[in-house]
Structure formats: structure tokens, C-alpha cells
Amino acid sequence: MANDSMEKINVLRERVLALRGHLDLDRKRSRIALIERDSTQPTFWDDNTKAQALLKEKSTLEASVGAYDKVMRGLDDAQALFELAAEANDEATTQEAEGSLTGLEGDVARLELARMLAGEQDRSSCFMDINAGAGGTDSMDWAAMLLRMYTRYCEHKGWKVEINDEVPGEEAGFKNVSLRIEGDFAYGYLKAEVGVHRLVRISPFDANARRQTAFASVDVYPEVDDTIQIDIPEKDIDLKFIRGGGAGGQKVNKTSSTAQLRHLPTGMIITCQTERSQSANKDMAFKILRGRLYELEMKKREAARDAAEAQKKDISFGSQIRSYVLAPYRMVKDLRTGIETGNVDAVLDGELEEFVTAQLLGVKNPNRSAGAD
């Protein structure tokens, strides 16, 4: 048992050491020291915004370096405990060391995930679009189910969700809905969900209770802060204010406060109606546009990250990343990673962590079949 545990420690240590370069620890330590030096200067707080940004950067860097150092110390302590237990033939110390090793395995896994969340905008809040695809009313209802699933997932993560715009379906659900998700690493995690999602179930909208297939797509792009310069020429924008839609009420259609923004070069149309004023809706619409344009540019530069998007020709058969089957059996399966579960209700209630982390860690399904259930 002791030999097996020591071998496990060596394997974990190799995994952690392999992350050192990817986590760029030497550069991070140098950057922390530089910010600490600058923060002692009398002029540091002359630009309050810049000072706060630097301190936030320092805190983020310290968290990354600290997590690595903590795991290495834990491995050293566990090895010392096992060696002490072997010398003294002490069962209690051996059990203590075994317990610490279990926790260290989780810490190493989190470090490996942190490596995959090191992108320039991964720590950002984000926007999410859910669009109904093939499947008629069932697909619009499926879009509403996905909205609930992601809202619940975000609640589990401690993130704030608000709807920026929605177009209801004629009978149920949504044709499309746009969300803003505020929280640490919201974009980093949710980018793993980009693609087409397929639902198979007995349709509640079919009088003959037949099994139906519905599709909806999910797109995610970061909320880009003011430190990222994105040039949007005025000539490229068509902005107008329209009356808001909705289910009814005293305020509906009485004021033209909804901002509708068209970006002429790309054809993107962004509608924002949830803020209280024209100005606020306009600002949010531009913020969404900046995020979309940033993501578009990143996809051009990074072909690998855009592979799933390139395969998504239609929101229909043969293009999905995940299937949610409620009948004739019950299973959720990610076609990219091979991760699957029979606990469909938990997944639809926001239990997505296993699927998200597998995709971020680059787990590959060796038997990938786009049309498989």
C-alpha cells in the first residue's frame, strides 16, 4: 500500500511539474514583484482606475501562483508523512497521509483545469445566445428548457444572470433569447457549451404522443472591458429605437426605448430592451457588439478554438455536440468527449460541471459519431 501511495505521489508531482511552463509561473512571479514595487510609488494612486486594475491583476496572479505552490507543498508533506509512517510502522500516520493524498488529487485536477482557463478573456463575464432550430414548437420549448438549465448552472456557480432580449415562440418557449452572465470565469467555463444541443422526447405538443427531435444552438462570447480597444466606425452602425414588445401591460409599446443595433459589415443585429432608458439600452447593445466582434476576431486567429463552430452548418441533424434523450430511454451524452449520464433530470437542473470540465480539459470521444444518441 505504501509503495502504491508513493508511486501515486510521484505521478501527481510529474503532472504538476508539467504544468509549470503552461501556467507561466516565472513570468507571473516577476509581474507580481513589479506591481508590488510600483504600488509603493507616491504617484501610484494618481490614476485610481489604473491602480485598481493593477491590484486586481496582482490578486489574480497571486491566486494562480499560490495554488501551484500549495499543491507542491502538499505533495512534499504527504511524501514526508508516508516516509515517517514507514519508518515508525505507524498505521495512524499512514491513514493521515492517505487522506491528504485524496485531497491532493482534486487539487491537481483543479490546477490542470486552471491551465485551460488561462485565455485573455476567460475570467470575464459573458453573453449567451440560445436560438431555436429545427423542430418547430418543440425546438422553441427546448430553447426555454436550455435557458432554465443554464440559469440553474450559473446559480450553482454563484453567477448573476439577466435577460437582455427575447423573442417568444408562437405557442411555447423562445425563438431566441440573449443573456448577460456576470461572474468570475463565466466566459471561460461557458465557452465549452457552444454548439448545437439535441433533445429527443415524447412531444407534449403532439396529439398522437409521438417521439420528436428538437434542436437549439448556444453561442457564447465575452464581455469585453474598456482595456480592449475595438474600433467600431460610426458609418458601420445603424442604430434605431423601437417600441418594446412583450406579453402586455401598461408600459408596453408606449415608449420607444428598445435599442436595435445593426452592424453593417457583419449583418449582426442586436436588440436590447431590458434597461430603463434609451441610453442604457444603447450602451448595453454596444457592449454586446464589442463582445461579438472580439470573439469573431479570436475565432479568425485561433482556428482550433473555432473547430466546433465550423462544423455547425445547421441547427439540425448531424451537427450537435450533445444529445439529451428522454425517450425511449434516458441519457445525456456529449458527443465530443463521450461523457454520459442517465440522470437527465439533474443535468436539466444545471448539473453540467462534468460535461464542461471534460470539454475544457480536452477529453476526446474515441468513438465520435455526430449522429449517435
Side-chain angles (χ1 to χ4, degrees):
M1 177 67 74
N3 288 336
D4 290 344
S5 297
M6 291 298 289
E7 178 62 27
K8 186 178 290 186
I9 288 175
N10 290 333
V11 170
L12 289 175
R13 193 184 300 277
E14 288 176 5
R15 285 167 60 185
V16 175
L17 289 172
L19 292 172
R20 184 179 181 88
H22 294 294
L23 293 173
D24 204 7
L25 294 175
D26 292 338
R27 183 197 65 80
K28 289 178 180 178
R29 294 185 200 278
S30 298
R31 181 62 177 162
I32 290 169
L34 180 61
I35 296 174
E36 286 179 341
R37 187 199 68 186
D38 289 347
S39 67
T40 63
Q41 301 301 312
T43 58
F44 181 73
W45 288 101
D46 287 355
D47 186 336
N48 187 65
T49 301
K50 180 180 177 181
Q52 290 184 347
L54 286 171
L55 292 179
K56 182 179 179 180
E57 179 189 358
K58 176 173 173 284
S59 176
T60 301
L61 295 172
E62 287 175 336
S64 176
V65 172
Y68 181 91
D69 290 345
K70 178 184 175 183
V71 172
M72 290 301 291
R73 287 195 302 270
L75 289 170
D76 290 341
D77 292 344
Q79 182 172 340
L81 272 178
F82 277 115
E83 291 172 349
L84 180 62
E87 290 176 6
N89 195 24
D90 186 346
E91 182 63 25
T93 304
T94 299
Q95 291 180 356
E96 180 184 352
E98 289 284 358
S100 68
L101 194 54
T102 301
L104 283 168
E105 289 178 305
D107 290 340
V108 172
R110 282 186 285 275
L111 266 186
E112 290 173 331
L113 180 60
R115 172 197 167 187
M116 307 308 296
L117 292 171
E120 185 178 3
Q121 294 297 318
D122 280 352
R123 199 179 184 103
S124 302
S125 298
C126 68
F127 299 100
M128 173 183 283
D129 292 337
I130 303 173
N131 296 288
T137 300
D138 278 285
S139 71
M140 298 177 203
D141 190 50
W142 177 219
M145 293 170 65
L146 288 174
L147 170 61
R148 180 186 182 278
M149 181 181 78
Y150 286 118
T151 299
R152 296 287 290 142
Y153 175 69
C154 293
E155 289 172 354
H156 298 333
K157 303 290 284 186
W159 300 333
K160 178 182 175 182
V161 179
E162 59 184 20
I163 295 177
N164 284 325
D165 185 43
E166 60 187 52
V167 179
E170 288 85 357
E171 297 181 50
F174 300 97
K175 292 181 179 179
N176 53 69
V177 58
S178 176
L179 314 174
R180 177 179 181 268
I181 299 165
E182 180 182 346
D184 233 13
F185 289 105
Y187 174 68
Y189 279 95
L190 288 172
K191 68 183 181 183
E193 293 297 289
V194 171
V196 174
H197 299 248
R198 180 177 74 147
L199 173 70
V200 180
R201 65 173 177 176
I202 303 298
S203 173
F205 306 101
D206 189 323
N208 296 314
R210 290 171 294 189
R211 188 170 73 144
Q212 301 288 347
T213 301
F215 299 85
S217 70
V218 172
D219 287 300
V220 177
Y221 38 95
E223 180 175 299
V224 181
D225 62 34
D226 293 335
T227 63
I228 305 295
Q229 297 299 317
I230 297 177
D231 183 33
I232 307 176
E234 188 175 342
K235 65 180 179 61
D236 289 349
I237 296 297
D238 178 21
L239 173 66
K240 60 183 177 181
F241 295 96
I242 59 177
R243 291 180 178 179
Q250 291 182 346
K251 296 183 180 178
V252 173
N253 292 331
K254 289 192 175 181
T255 60
S256 299
S257 60
T258 297
Q260 188 173 87
L261 188 67
R262 182 191 296 269
H263 184 245
L264 301 177
T266 62
M268 292 179 186
I269 299 176
I270 298 161
T271 306
C272 187
Q273 60 180 327
T274 56
E275 304 297 329
R276 292 178 177 269
S277 67
Q278 284 187 350
S279 176
N281 281 322
K282 173 188 172 183
D283 290 344
M284 181 58 69
F286 269 99
K287 184 175 286 189
I288 294 171
L289 177 60
R290 292 177 71 236
R292 287 189 180 181
L293 292 176
Y294 176 89
E295 180 70 359
L296 185 64
E297 181 61 26
M298 290 301 101
K299 283 179 178 178
K300 289 178 181 177
R301 295 180 185 180
E302 301 174 33
R305 197 177 80 183
D306 131 276
E309 188 72 16
Q311 295 170 4
K312 192 178 67 176
K313 300 179 180 67
D314 297 298
I315 311 176
S316 59
F317 283 100
S319 57
Q320 65 271 10
I321 63 166
R322 190 178 301 147
S323 288
Y324 307 70
V325 182
L326 279 64
Y329 55 90
R330 295 175 66 81
M331 178 178 290
V332 178
K333 182 173 183 178
D334 195 293
L335 304 176
R336 303 163 299 176
T337 64
I339 298 296
E340 61 183 53
T341 178
N343 194 350
V344 178
D345 292 336
V347 173
L348 292 177
D349 199 38
E351 297 292 338
L352 295 171
E353 199 70 12
E354 184 179 13
F355 293 98
V356 170
T357 55
Q359 174 63 14
L360 291 176
L361 289 171
V363 175
K364 298 297 183 185
N365 180 3
N367 302 310
R368 170 82 195 253
S369 173
D373 283 345

